[in-house]
Amino acid sequence: MGLRGEAAIVGVAQYENERRYAGEKNFFTEQFAELTRLALNDAGLHKDDIDGLCCTAIRETNMFAPATLAEYLGIHVNFAEIVDLGGATPVGMIWRAAAAIELGICQAVICATPARPVPSNPNPPAIDHSRVFGSTSNNWGSPQAEFDVPYGNVAQNAGYAMIANRYASLYGYDERALAKIAAQQRTNALANPLAVFRNAPITIDDVLASKMIADPLHVLEIVMPCAGGSAVLLANKALAAKSRNRPVYVTGFGEHLTTKSTTYQPDMVQSPVGPAADSAFTMAGKKPADIQMVQPYDCYTVTVMLTLEDAGFCSKGDGANFIQDHNLTYQGDFPCNTGGGQLGAGQAGLAGGMTQVIEGAIQVMGRAEERQVKHHDNALVTGTGGIMSEQSAIILEGA
Amino acid sequence: MEMSRPLPVATPTTEPFWDGVRNHKILLQQCNDCTKWVFYPRTNCPHCLSNQLTWREVPGDATIYSFTIARRPTAPHFADEIPQLIAVVELAQGVRMNTNIVNAEPADLQVGLALKPIFKTIKDATLLCFEPVK
Ligand SMILES: [Zn+2]
């Protein structure tokens, strides 16, 4: 079952993550085009090599996003996919692109996540009340509008806080271990020139002294929204051989979804990372101990701890001990979110999850400069959407 | 601009639930085919997809499955409610739902705390909330 490992990441592009973007504003179509140009240049490939695309929803149209983008870029594709998995979207894009390449329908697929502000509309439409609660729909008829929103369980903080409190009641809660994730990832961010917090080291005590947002989550355990954008170009073996980068093959993937709201998860502390990671490991013929670095989705510190447990790096309930026993920096014995993750680099919309994909890819390519991990032949990358309720995982391996 | 607290707007399928709450009753659906309880209200049972669901009144005794105390409003609409005591509760029938805990201090909240229902009317809507069993 699954991938043979014949589709590779060959080029990447990343805008700097910026809390206050002051540059030229462009539409998502325009950002997608420019990110594609940058990723092609990075790979040393040509526009006409691209025959597939994966995108997110774009601001300029509610429908026909892939066709709108193909037309705008002037590319004719055999595969066009809009992926809607929240934070799991980028990892979901990568395996879909790899699958399209292995099926032989594409030779190169561009996956891009624009996330800079768009130009201000001179004729602004009325406020869209269906979107006032962000990722929680307030459309009439949506279960969220009726059974989440009236009680204030909107957006993400409350849901992740409840996961953490449920976990605490079952297994205890070592807040210093959780804070260590934020502090050590921040150390990694200091070596990432694109990170929002590249000049701001923090300690475990700083994290625990930061404002409480929703018990037990402190503000420094929660991602900072920012502007940015990224793209990843995948190609078949023939094109990968022409690329100027070490090809990074996608050798395994998994995906698993349960609910939108964490309220209805079968078990709030057993995340769908488990089945997604199991599938990725089985497909790649690897086990957790074989993995040289992890790039786990990190909207919150607790997301990382549950991901490490459910992916099998330690047993359920032992996550805090595992974190305390390991050094998570790029120089450490368990390199984790070596570019700072989203906690250290910032979360640029749906490009946030691409941060982890690109960090895994450039580490395996050997291009991570100051933060280069010593052993860099493989990486596990995960994506988390919903409230820890939709998951994708991939395993990347260098040629 | 003052943003008022968002309130549920029933659909044809969920109306019996909200009508019940307005009359201080808790009505849940039970599946005629697999006998499991269903929440939130649906046309089809999420356990077996049966479309044969029957509304039944239940007492509403529940426990906290998990909770958080939001120190910052989860949306601007809740700015007057700080701290928000947000919980997921599990009813005796095994279903879980979002709610707010009332008549309790933040320090009272813990997983497993026994609760009973309390009906909170806001404008022309009534919400199903819970309070600790004394
Ligand atoms: Zn049933």
Side-chain angles (χ1 to χ4, degrees), chain B residues 24-35:
Chain B
H24 294 200
K25 292 183 190 338
I26 302 173
L27 298 177
L28 292 184
Q29 293 171 302
Q30 187 175 20
C31 178
N32 294 359
D33 286 313
C34 75
T35 76

Side-chain angles (χ1 to χ4, degrees), chain B residues 60-122:
Chain B
D61 43 317
T63 56
I64 292 185
Y65 181 83
S66 197
F67 67 94
T68 187
I69 299 142
R71 310 283 176 178
R72 309 276 149 173
T74 56
H77 311 68
F78 298 93
D80 296 339
E81 317 264 335
I82 293 301
Q84 294 165 261
L85 306 189
I86 300 169
V88 171
V89 299
E90 190 164 281
L91 271 65
Q93 289 72 23
V95 298
R96 278 187 235 142
M97 59 179 68
N98 292 299
T99 193
N100 295 132
I101 307 297
V102 299
N103 300 328
E105 294 301 316
D108 297 339
L109 301 199
Q110 54 178 322
V111 172
L113 183 70
L115 304 167
K116 60 182 182 182
I118 181 166
F119 300 89
K120 185 171 170 183
T121 297
I122 304 172

Side-chain angles (χ1 to χ4, degrees), chain B residues 30-36 38 44-53:
Chain B
Q30 187 175 20
C31 178
N32 294 359
D33 286 313
C34 75
T35 76
K36 289 189 172 145
V38 173
N44 294 74
C45 168
H47 305 286
C48 74
L49 286 186
S50 168
N51 60 6
Q52 300 298 309
L53 303 176

Side-chain angles (χ1 to χ4, degrees), chain A residues 85-88 133-137 144 148 152-164 217 256-273 297 299-300 302-303 306-307 310 383-391, chain B residues 88 98:
Chain A
L85 295 171
F133 300 111
S135 60
T136 305
S137 170
Q144 299 145 48
D148 290 8
N153 186 3
V154 300
Q156 293 84 16
N157 290 344
Y160 278 94
M162 288 196 281
I163 290 172
L217 303 176
H256 196 68
L257 286 76
T258 50
T259 60
K260 167 63 177 71
S261 170
T262 192
T263 304
Y264 314 109
Q265 283 271 40
D267 181 336
M268 211 182 253
V269 301
Q270 300 275 355
S271 79
V273 168
Y297 197 91
C299 42
Y300 300 86
V302 68
T303 314
L306 258 64
T307 298
D310 294 340
T384 297
I387 307 292
M388 202 106 207
S389 55
E390 43 184 359
Q391 295 290 339
Chain B
V88 171
N98 292 299

Side-chain angles (χ1 to χ4, degrees), chain A residues 292-293 295 329-332 335-336 338 359 363 366 368-377:
Chain A
Q292 296 176 333
M293 71 188 88
Q295 311 290 350
T329 70
Y330 56 89
Q331 294 172 315
C336 173
T338 48
E359 181 65 16
Q363 285 283 357
E369 300 184 347
E370 184 189 342
R371 65 182 190 277
Q372 181 64 52
V373 171
K374 190 171 169 198
H375 302 290
H376 57 91
D377 288 324

Side-chain angles (χ1 to χ4, degrees), chain A residues 157-364:
Chain A
N157 290 344
Y160 278 94
M162 288 196 281
I163 290 172
N165 272 336
R166 177 81 188 164
Y167 185 97
S169 76
L170 295 170
Y171 305 109
Y173 196 78
D174 178 353
E175 64 175 7
R176 294 192 71 81
L178 275 296
K180 182 182 174 185
I181 296 168
Q184 291 208 315
Q185 286 192 194
R186 185 64 68 90
T187 300
N188 293 340
L190 301 179
N192 179 359
L194 300 179
V196 157
F197 295 116
R198 59 184 175 272
N199 298 316
I202 53 171
T203 65
I204 290 171
D205 290 327
D206 292 336
V207 175
L208 296 178
S210 69
K211 271 187 300 202
M212 189 68 86
I213 301 297
D215 297 26
L217 303 176
H218 301 84
V219 69
L220 289 178
E221 299 182 90
I222 302 174
V223 283
M224 174 66 70
C226 66
S230 50
V232 170
L233 181 66
L234 292 97
N236 63 14
K237 278 195 160 169
L239 282 177
K242 290 199 240 170
S243 163
R244 63 166 64 105
N245 297 315
R246 180 192 194 194
V248 177
Y249 287 96
V250 184
T251 58
F253 76 85
E255 191 161 281
H256 196 68
L257 286 76
T258 50
T259 60
K260 167 63 177 71
S261 170
T262 192
T263 304
Y264 314 109
Q265 283 271 40
D267 181 336
M268 211 182 253
V269 301
Q270 300 275 355
S271 79
V273 168
D278 283 352
S279 165
F281 282 125
T282 302
M283 211 181 278
K286 292 235 166 340
K287 52 190 189 305
D290 300 326
I291 297 298
Q292 296 176 333
M293 71 188 88
V294 295
Q295 311 290 350
Y297 197 91
D298 63 332
C299 42
Y300 300 86
T301 51
V302 68
T303 314
V304 175
M305 184 174 75
L306 258 64
T307 298
L308 297 181
E309 290 181 352
D310 294 340
F313 291 96
C314 58
S315 56
K316 180 55 68 183
D318 205 33
N321 289 334
F322 183 86
I323 291 156
Q324 292 286 23
D325 288 346
H326 291 280
N327 179 338
L328 311 182
T329 70
Y330 56 89
Q331 294 172 315
D333 60 336
F334 190 79
C336 173
N337 282 328
T338 48
Q342 299 179 60
L343 287 166
Q347 180 174 64
L350 288 177
M354 203 65 104
T355 303
Q356 267 100 9
V357 173
I358 293 180
E359 181 65 16
I362 63 176
Q363 285 283 357
V364 172

Side-chain angles (χ1 to χ4, degrees), chain A residues 78-100:
Chain A
N78 304 324
F79 169 74
E81 181 91 333
I82 181 165
V83 183
D84 179 18
L85 295 171
T89 295
V91 174
M93 286 177 164
I94 301 299
W95 79 252
R96 283 166 174 77

